[in-house]
Amino acid sequence: MMMASTAIASSHREAPGITKMPKVDNTDVYAFQSYETGRAGYTTLIANFQPGENPGDGPNYYTMDPDAIYEIHVDNAGDAKEHLTFQFKFTNSLKNDTGKTVTVGGKVLPIALRHIGPISAPLDANLGEDEQYTLTLVTGDRRTGTKAAVTNASGGGSTFVKPFDNAGNKSVPNYPAYANQFIYNVAIPGCSGQGRVFAGQRQEAFAVNLGPVMDLVNFVPIEGSIVQSDANQELIGKKNVTTLAIEVPTTCLVGTSTAANGVIGVWSTASLPQAKLHKPNPTYKNPTLSGGAYTQVSRLGMPLVNEVVIGLPQKDLFNAAKPTQDGALADYVTNPTFPAILEVLFGSAGIKAPTNFPRNDLVATFLTGIKTLNQLPAVTASEMIRLNTKVTPTPAASQNSLGVAGNDLAGFPNGRRPGDDVVDVVLRVAMGRLCYPVPIAGVPTDLGLCKPADAPSGQVPFTDGAPSNAMGTYVGASGNTGANAGYVTPSTPYLQQTFPYLAPPLRGSPRPQNQP
């Protein structure tokens, strides 16, 4: 059986090649029915880039790569091909080709900083460098399909502005109000209703106990054995990320064929020109010479796929592959290595990896969708997030971070919301949770993918101890001791319940970052 690749969750520095190109490193993809009040009938698609943005990393901060194209793809036919692509292209420019200048001893010279004076508006006069972007809808193949500009619903322009990063309170006195000016209502070609778009820095929302996980799971990964605490967060409350978010009327995304059932597949990519030469005499406008066809260098759909599922020799290959090529990496999902690693590490404590091969439960979760939940009538096995847009969204305050496993059908793996604790869900699914009945609309349901006997540890409540929730509130007490001494629980949430859902970024100054 040739099935496509992958299983597990987000993508931070996941392959050798992409570590050299952080501006095009796709870290997380979210696809969900909008749960903001008054936005019923809309679907939100988010792709995050540039992992590990430190607040205050000036003077250049985290601009996007003007040589790259960043794309969010939608398959609404189940054939592992993009039928709609939202393509972002960024440009950077210096005001007057110099940026801000000062007069020193009678000479007018450009300053070394991107800004001088407080910033409060798009293209602010105190900014010396402006970052803008276009958004194009491609129907059909991403390179040969029909292209049409997404335009500003107010005035009709086709160029949008990206906000300056949160340098600090002196540079941007009211960052949330400033950033809200960059949420644009947009006219989407072929779509009768308006959408919204935002591109800019936000708080990291991926909950993970990253260091200990990568240190051969240096904790007992079971509820009760590790305290669920914000002190285990290695990204939330500490790092920022660059977010590309678009909200689209759902009717504009779903397929129109008689076989369409409201399910869409979503993934994101970044591509660069095939050739790049470093100039010996670089300029601001032309630091390098680039040419050739765009080549995909980053790809992400379902969350930790490339980190802990794809084998080391094929990690760069996965980033370059299209979903139609996933069969070449099929063994990594039908015969996953991560459960075997957990058995090696914790076998003496009774942890056993599932024995049903091929792992049809993982194939359904990550490659085809689950028949009773989010699978199109005809589907080509391929790695992407699959969302059943006919499932009513759950309000933020009522969401279960375990998604479907927590009797919340609007959550992961039916799409992915910012508050879904995908690490815990993936750990449990990888160890055989779907071999046991799961709650579907409150009713324990046997999915028929495998049997309890196949997964001796399938009901163990695996966790990394770094919790997540849709309200973006922290869990655990302040004033930690030992390795977490000095870590204070942040008082402001890392998520919001309005578009673009991720909260405004942590500021560069004043520190500490975990204070309001």
Side-chain angles (χ1 to χ4, degrees):
M1 180 190 306
M2 285 300 290
M3 292 294 180
S5 74
T6 16
I8 304 190
S10 301
S11 169
H12 297 68
R13 291 176 52 82
E14 77 288 350
I18 203 63
T19 61
K20 305 173 185 177
M21 301 176 283
K23 284 182 180 289
V24 289
D25 189 352
N26 195 173
T27 68
D28 286 281
V29 175
Y30 302 95
F32 55 94
Q33 290 288 85
S34 300
Y35 49 87
E36 176 182 343
T37 301
R39 302 301 286 184
Y42 288 84
T43 296
T44 297
L45 309 176
I46 298 174
N48 287 342
F49 289 87
Q50 302 201 63
E53 294 183 8
N54 292 309
D57 265 5
N60 293 299
Y61 300 97
Y62 294 95
T63 58
M64 301 296 271
D65 189 339
D67 289 336
I69 50 175
Y70 301 85
E71 297 172 305
I72 300 175
H73 309 281
V74 177
D75 171 14
N76 54 26
D79 56 4
K81 300 177 182 178
E82 66 272 14
H83 296 273
L84 299 171
T85 295
F86 295 94
Q87 185 183 99
F88 293 77
K89 187 76 172 69
F90 291 84
T91 57
N92 302 322
S93 61
L94 296 176
K95 284 188 171 72
N96 301 317
D97 291 330
T98 61
K100 302 304 294 182
T101 61
V102 294
T103 301
V104 182
K107 294 186 177 182
V108 180
L109 296 172
I111 67 171
L113 308 179
R114 287 188 66 196
H115 67 300
I116 182 169
I119 299 163
S120 61
L123 306 178
D124 196 288
N126 284 328
L127 264 175
E129 182 181 41
D130 297 315
E131 189 170 12
Q132 301 180 73
Y133 64 97
T134 58
L135 178 58
T136 302
L137 175 65
V138 185
T139 304
D141 183 273
R142 67 181 83 170
R143 299 291 173 263
T144 62
T146 302
K147 297 184 177 182
V150 175
T151 57
N152 193 330
S154 301
S158 58
T159 300
F160 306 94
V161 183
K162 176 177 173 285
F164 181 56
D165 289 353
N166 193 357
N169 288 354
K170 187 175 182 180
S171 295
V172 191
N174 187 341
Y175 198 91
Y178 166 71
N180 283 343
Q181 299 174 82
F182 299 83
I183 298 174
Y184 296 96
N185 292 319
V186 293
I188 301 172
C191 189
S192 59
Q194 293 182 2
R196 291 190 287 186
V197 68
F198 172 84
Q201 191 178 52
R202 307 306 277 182
Q203 284 192 47
E204 175 65 84
F206 177 44
V208 64
N209 195 2
L210 184 62
V213 167
M214 294 303 172
D215 185 24
L216 298 179
V217 192
N218 194 4
F219 57 92
V220 179
I222 300 172
E223 282 185 5
S225 298
I226 180 173
V227 176
Q228 303 289 310
S229 173
D230 53 81
N232 295 329
Q233 301 285 6
E234 301 229 1
L235 299 178
I236 287 179
K238 301 174 184 177
K239 302 290 186 179
N240 293 324
V241 72
T242 300
T243 291
L244 310 183
I246 183 165
E247 185 184 57
V248 184
T250 302
T251 54
C252 302
L253 294 175
V254 297
T256 57
S257 69
T258 55
N261 61 355
V263 173
I264 59 173
V266 179
W267 72 103
S268 178
T269 62
S271 300
L272 288 167
Q274 194 168 33
K276 175 179 283 190
L277 296 175
H278 292 279
K279 298 177 65 175
N281 55 341
T283 63
Y284 174 87
K285 289 185 177 180
N286 297 295
T288 61
L289 293 174
S290 299
Y294 279 107
T295 301
Q296 181 179 304
V297 296
S298 181
R299 168 190 170 189
L300 183 62
M302 292 291 280
L304 289 174
V305 168
N306 216 0
E307 281 94 333
V308 298
V309 177
I310 301 298
L312 187 58
Q314 282 81 39
K315 286 180 179 290
D316 290 325
L317 174 62
F318 175 79
N319 267 345
K322 294 182 178 181
T324 52
Q325 301 170 308
D326 281 346
L329 301 172
D331 289 348
Y332 288 116
V333 66
T334 58
N335 299 69
T337 60
F338 193 70
I341 293 173
L342 286 182
E343 181 172 328
V344 169
L345 295 174
F346 300 101
S348 61
I351 298 302
K352 301 296 181 184
T355 57
N356 52 306
F357 301 110
R359 289 290 301 277
N360 290 326
D361 51 332
L362 297 188
V363 169
T365 302
F366 297 102
L367 307 180
T368 65
I370 298 170
K371 284 185 179 180
T372 56
L373 180 64
N374 60 347
Q375 185 182 113
L376 281 160
V379 62
T380 298
S382 50
E383 192 279 309
M384 60 184 72
I385 292 177
R386 288 179 171 82
L387 171 66
N388 184 345
T389 62
K390 292 186 177 180
V391 175
T392 302
T394 305
S398 302
Q399 288 181 20
N400 190 304
S401 63
L402 296 180
V404 174
N407 197 30
D408 183 356
L409 297 186
F412 185 78
N414 181 29
R416 181 187 175 190
R417 304 167 301 194
D420 288 340
D421 197 339
V422 292
V423 172
D424 283 10
V425 175
V426 168
L427 281 171
R428 298 177 194 201
V429 171
M431 294 304 290
R433 178 64 184 87
L434 299 188
C435 295
Y436 296 79
V438 296
I440 300 293
V443 179
T445 304
D446 182 357
L447 300 179
L449 300 169
C450 46
K451 299 177 180 179
D454 297 325
S457 301
Q459 290 187 303
V460 174
F462 290 98
T463 181
D464 70 334
S468 181
N469 63 82
M471 302 304 290
T473 53
Y474 290 81
V475 177
S478 302
N480 296 285
T481 59
N484 294 312
Y487 183 89
V488 180
T489 302
S491 59
T492 54
Y494 57 88
L495 293 175
Q496 59 188 31
Q497 286 73 58
T498 57
F499 182 84
Y501 294 94
L502 278 65
L506 299 166
R507 64 179 182 263
S509 169
R511 294 184 183 268
Q513 292 301 330
N514 49 18
Q515 296 299 310

